[in-house]
Amino acid sequence: MTVNALRSLVLAACLAWPAGGAAQSLIVGIPNAETTPRGRFALTHESQALLFKQPVAWNSFSFITYGVSDHVEASLSLTGLSAPRSGELSLGAGLKWVVPILEHRLPAWELRATVGASALFSLDRRSVGGWGYAHGSFRIPRLHTRITAGVSYGSEELFGYGQTPVAAMVGVEQPITDWFWIVADWYSGNHALGAFIPAVQFNIGDVALIAGYKLDNDRTRPSDAIIFEMMTLL
């Protein structure tokens, strides 16, 4: 996988669960239904160890988000920084808007609609592209399981050379305790982001740590990887 994401974005408040997990921008690879708290910054970095390729490779993405308002965040990202170089290094700038739905009538369900968009600039190819997405999300009462599903459309600056896919995206977040969650998400398609990623998440104050396994959708030439991700509020 050359770029496992600009997936730039984030906030809000998960009822009854601590801010360390609630303030994370992503589930693992897809944007979640949260935004960065108003007036604060959040820094996220993900590293992918492609131990099963020859030669062994490393890929990463990093981004910083800022809480513009209670439901809007802005982001700057750097994706495709890798060794050996993949030729997919890109800068991104975007916005994410999370809209609560029926929050007074159905508060336990935490219904939300999310839309986001980013402008992308390839530092290797000197090309310009973009990415847009939308999804809906809800939390199952008592179980506290959050389900997220939607679609995205993007250019090759994010999805890989020659790829401009419409992709489905699905995510699940399951708190086990206030500090330990099981999470997973999936992008459809055989492109740079197309993968299923199950993971565990540890929330320590304003820091979220994630460890997972990326199972590439393309099983003819898989780019499976072990993933480590860290997010911290600043």
Side-chain angles (χ1 to χ4, degrees):
M1 187 183 225
T2 52
V3 189
N4 194 2
L6 162 217
R7 357 213 248 220
S8 56
L9 317 121
V10 91
L11 172 264
C14 298
L15 269 97
W17 299 103
Q24 190 187 342
S25 286
L26 309 172
I27 297 175
V28 185
I30 75 170
N32 68 6
E34 312 294 337
T35 57
T36 305
R38 178 199 289 262
R40 296 193 69 178
F41 289 92
L43 180 64
T44 299
H45 172 79
E46 179 179 291
S47 280
Q48 302 176 23
L50 287 80
L51 303 177
F52 313 103
K53 294 190 69 173
Q54 293 300 324
V56 170
W58 167 80
N59 190 31
S60 72
F61 74 86
S62 301
F63 62 88
I64 189 167
T65 57
Y66 176 73
V68 177
S69 70
D70 288 343
H71 303 299
V72 177
E73 73 177 14
S75 65
L76 294 174
S77 65
L78 177 68
T79 63
L81 182 63
S82 61
R85 286 288 304 274
S86 65
E88 300 289 348
L89 189 62
S90 294
L91 288 174
L95 290 171
K96 175 183 174 183
W97 181 28
V98 177
V99 183
I101 300 172
L102 300 176
E103 59 181 334
H104 299 300
R105 296 182 61 183
L106 298 171
W109 287 87
E110 294 185 33
L111 298 170
R112 294 173 185 169
T114 301
V115 293
S118 295
L120 304 171
F121 176 70
S122 171
L123 299 178
D124 289 314
R125 296 194 296 270
R126 299 296 190 270
S127 61
V128 177
W131 181 47
Y133 62 88
H135 60 55
S137 181
F138 66 91
R139 189 180 297 280
I140 300 174
R142 296 178 180 258
L143 294 176
H144 301 287
T145 308
R146 177 171 286 285
I147 308 294
T148 300
V151 295
S152 78
Y153 174 76
S155 64
E156 61 186 15
E157 285 76 18
L158 178 62
F159 287 90
Y161 184 72
Q163 298 283 346
T164 57
V166 175
M169 50 185 181
V170 179
V172 178
E173 301 163 85
Q174 178 60 65
I176 305 301
T177 70
D178 59 354
W179 58 271
F180 177 68
W181 295 12
I182 295 174
V183 294
D185 60 29
W186 172 73
Y187 279 95
S188 67
N190 291 336
H191 47 77
L193 303 187
F196 172 63
I197 307 176
V200 292
Q201 175 175 326
F202 301 92
N203 304 315
I204 308 168
D206 285 341
V207 176
L209 302 173
I210 289 178
Y213 185 81
K214 188 200 76 173
L215 187 66
D216 197 338
N217 290 342
D218 186 355
R219 303 317 297 168
T220 60
R221 295 176 301 169
S223 294
D224 293 359
I226 296 173
I227 289 178
F228 300 96
E229 185 173 320
M230 183 184 76
M231 189 286 302
T232 183
L233 286 172
L234 303 176

